[in-house]
Amino acid sequence: MASGRVISSRVPTQPARPISTISADPARARPTGVAELDRVLGGGLVPGAVVLLAGEPGVGKSTLLLDVAQRWAASGTSPALVVSGEESVNQVRLRAERIGALHDQLYLASETDLGAILGHLDAVKPGLLVLDSVQTVSASGIEGVPGGVTQVRAVTAALVAVAKERNIATVLVGHVTKDGQVAGPRVLEHLVDVVLHFEGDRHSSLRMVRGVKNRFGAADEVGCFEMHERGISSLVDPSGLFLTRYSEPVPGTCVTVAMEGRRALVTEIQALIGATVAGAPRRTVSGLDSARLAMILAVLQRRTGRLTLHDREVFAATVGGIRVTEPAADLAIALAVASGGLNLALAPQLVAIGEVGLTGEVRRVSGVPRRLTEAARLGFRFALVPSGCGPESTGAGPEDMKVIEITDLRDALQWAARLSAMAESE
């Protein structure tokens, strides 16, 4: 039998101390000045923490972080250093002028060598380092090309060690693969303290920063931003982006409340029932899950007996560019399709929340009281929710909203028709 290796003890770098004698002040988060980013980070950037911000090209990562760096520099406590491995300092300066991110304590550098970046840290002594992007940097003496597994692991590990040693809040920009995952080795996400995903459609002004990992706060928070010519700004109350205001009720629309992390967003679902076609009719979605739409169409036709959809084209979409894939939107999708198919305009102050099963039942979903509170804040007076989710069952909910518990799609269609008639008579 092979003998085990004997590991001898040595003097530790720092002696262990009683927890009561250790101050937590150096590790407290420092606000960035960007409210929605602070929301996702858990209050701000922690000195010595390393944040990985990943997203598709052109979504706005560099613009957001340049604004953060300028705000950090303007606070006066320590300089901020932005190192770009993809653009020259002149190109970064042009973007800074466009968004108004100029300050004497904001330093720019264009480097792809890790040793040169560490030299800039020695010279500037920043409190914040932004590296755009980690896949462009290489370390001498390490095999592999920039962006390769070995190089990315070595560069990230070195920057994490320096950040901890010098208490530098560090933000690393990362590329993503075609399926939206962070490019590079999986260990990259384990090395850093916080992992954020920057999401958004280039054809929409809406941007979202989603927390995936956070050692200093909740990992399921979402921050909302709006992209415009002058840069990017926080959307503290984004629900209005996902609603359309009509002068009179329109068939084919229904409002639901989606949960993005722990945030409730009132969202409008639109559906259009097209012409009857021979063969396989189109089912086209935007911002929704096509598989769930197909299931809901089948359940509507089979379980309600009021709609014939197997030979009709169906188009369904969300408003404002938001993507809704959670099952809690099933009921709103079903009512929007039924509204369009029956040419029945739903009550304009109605929201629908619930998951639809294959037998037509409406199942319970999480966070209903929070969803109802957000809908009531925006002026909605009626809500259709699964049985057992109303205020009488849970003991929580807005007092100025009529919440109706339903059991299945037939029940939901009947109540939707009643509320529509009530709205027309008022």
Side-chain angles (χ1 to χ4, degrees), residues 55-112:
E56 295 181 356
V59 76
K61 305 182 298 296
S62 301
T63 302
L64 173 63
L65 293 180
L66 192 57
D67 183 33
V68 170
Q70 185 272 333
R71 292 172 184 269
W72 183 286
S75 66
T77 55
S78 59
L81 172 63
V82 175
V83 179
S84 176
E86 301 176 341
E87 298 177 289
S88 68
V89 291
N90 307 95
Q91 292 172 320
V92 178
R93 160 75 193 222
L94 282 176
R95 181 186 295 114
E97 286 183 356
R98 178 171 57 86
I99 67 174
L102 300 176
H103 196 276
D104 290 340
Q105 290 300 301
L106 173 57
Y107 291 80
L108 303 179
S110 179
E111 298 287 354
T112 57

Side-chain angles (χ1 to χ4, degrees), residues 196-215:
L196 306 178
H197 280 194
F198 204 134
E199 305 170 358
D201 186 347
R202 291 188 181 185
H203 305 292
S204 170
S205 63
L206 176 67
R207 300 290 186 271
M208 287 188 177
V209 175
R210 190 183 306 275
V212 177
K213 169 189 174 182
N214 193 349
R215 289 175 177 163

Side-chain angles (χ1 to χ4, degrees), residues 37 51-55 60-62 64-65 171-175 194-198 209:
L37 183 60
V51 178
L52 176 63
L53 178 65
K61 305 182 298 296
S62 301
L64 173 63
L65 293 180
V171 182
L172 308 178
V173 176
H175 297 162
V194 181
V195 179
L196 306 178
H197 280 194
F198 204 134
V209 175

